[in-house]
Amino acid sequence: MKKNRIAILVSGRGSNLQALLDAIAAGQLEAEVVGVFSDKPKAPALARVPEPLRWSGDARRFPDRASFDAALADAVEAVRPDWVICAGYMRILGETFTARFRGRLLNIHPSLLPKYRGLHTHARALEAGDREHGASVHWVVPELDAGAVIAQAVIPVLPGDQPDDLAVRLLPREHALLAAVTAWVVQGRLTEQGDEAWLDGQPLLKPLSLDSAGQLTHPTAT
Ligand code: GAR
């Protein structure tokens, strides 16, 4: 079977990108990374793949969001991806980009969406007094962090936690979540239908959850 082609968008350190590369190397994800794209030319994430796979554009040198998004979309399209994954991509993607990749565009976000779209999610969960926090993988729509949620990983909030404690504890769960969701996406099990996330031809009434063994479980199964 032809391997699915994955393009990955990054802005920083790239540990979620690394999780996908590791899952491919371990045979857990039947896919090929065909390009890594960044809005930050100095993003350390870029160094995780060979030079021919890297693309970066300095967003500050473009006159507006739409012109940067168009350049990014052209570069992504040139590698003919089946899927485009935002793995720590911190720049808002405008409709110029999202419309071109709708239905094959995923994002990982460090909160239990619909809570805390946008930035500073760990601090906001603490300020709200939440007992649980987590990460979500969702289909990307033009509105920020508003697309259908596919799956979530939950962690407890412990007494005395600071935002960095949550970030550190959540990160390995993010890695497992993103790898597990991507594996099912490339298998064709997970799709976006209209505004909904579907699994195996059925709408998901609730997001899938990641269990302690790193497996996705359906909310109807306990
Ligand atoms: C991750 O925690 C990811 O969930 C978050 O940025 C971090 C990137 O880490 N993404 C967002 O906040 C998107 N709005 P990484 O570069 O090590 O993968």
Side-chain angles (χ1 to χ4, degrees):
M1 202 181 73
K2 190 182 136 293
K3 277 196 184 153
N4 277 237
R5 298 169 64 82
I6 300 182
I8 303 182
L9 273 52
V10 296
S11 295
R13 147 187 80 175
S15 70
N16 278 286
L17 161 64
Q18 190 64 51
L20 294 175
L21 294 169
D22 292 348
I24 290 170
Q28 293 155 357
L29 172 57
E30 278 287 319
E32 182 185 359
V33 174
V34 291
V36 172
F37 301 83
S38 183
D39 58 323
K40 298 243 173 352
K42 292 189 177 151
L46 289 166
R48 296 181 187 267
V49 293
E51 210 278 331
L53 295 189
R54 300 176 199 159
W55 181 94
S56 65
D58 190 342
R60 291 167 305 183
R61 292 177 183 270
F62 286 75
D64 52 28
R65 182 183 308 285
S67 58
F68 178 78
D69 279 358
L72 176 65
D74 287 345
V76 171
E77 204 159 277
V79 303
R80 294 178 291 108
D82 297 299
W83 308 103
V84 181
I85 301 180
C86 302
Y89 186 70
M90 300 307 289
R91 195 178 160 79
I92 292 172
L93 286 169
E95 201 154 2
T96 309
F97 191 95
T98 56
R100 276 169 77 174
F101 297 100
R102 183 81 197 257
R104 48 195 177 121
L105 183 56
L106 295 156
N107 180 45
I108 182 156
H109 181 73
S111 79
L112 295 174
L113 290 171
K115 286 186 167 184
Y116 319 130
R117 295 172 182 169
L119 297 175
H120 310 301
T121 56
H122 310 308
R124 288 158 69 196
L126 291 172
E127 275 159 27
D130 291 355
R131 311 269 303 265
E132 289 187 326
H133 184 49
S136 306
V137 176
H138 64 93
W139 295 108
V140 175
V141 298
E143 196 187 337
L144 182 65
D145 300 327
V149 178
I150 300 166
Q152 296 181 318
V154 178
I155 61 167
V157 176
L158 303 178
D161 269 346
Q162 299 298 310
D164 281 355
D165 300 316
L166 288 181
V168 166
R169 260 202 337 275
L170 186 57
L171 197 62
R173 302 291 290 157
E174 288 192 34
H175 298 161
L177 180 70
L178 186 60
V181 169
T182 306
W184 282 14
V185 165
V186 304
Q187 288 169 22
R189 298 190 63 187
L190 289 164
T191 55
E192 185 189 35
Q193 305 287 339
D195 288 335
E196 295 175 341
W198 283 40
L199 170 67
D200 296 336
Q202 303 283 337
L204 279 174
L205 302 178
K206 281 191 196 165
L208 299 167
S209 58
L210 189 78
D211 70 13
S212 54
Q215 305 294 319
L216 293 173
T217 55
H218 197 280
T220 55
T222 44

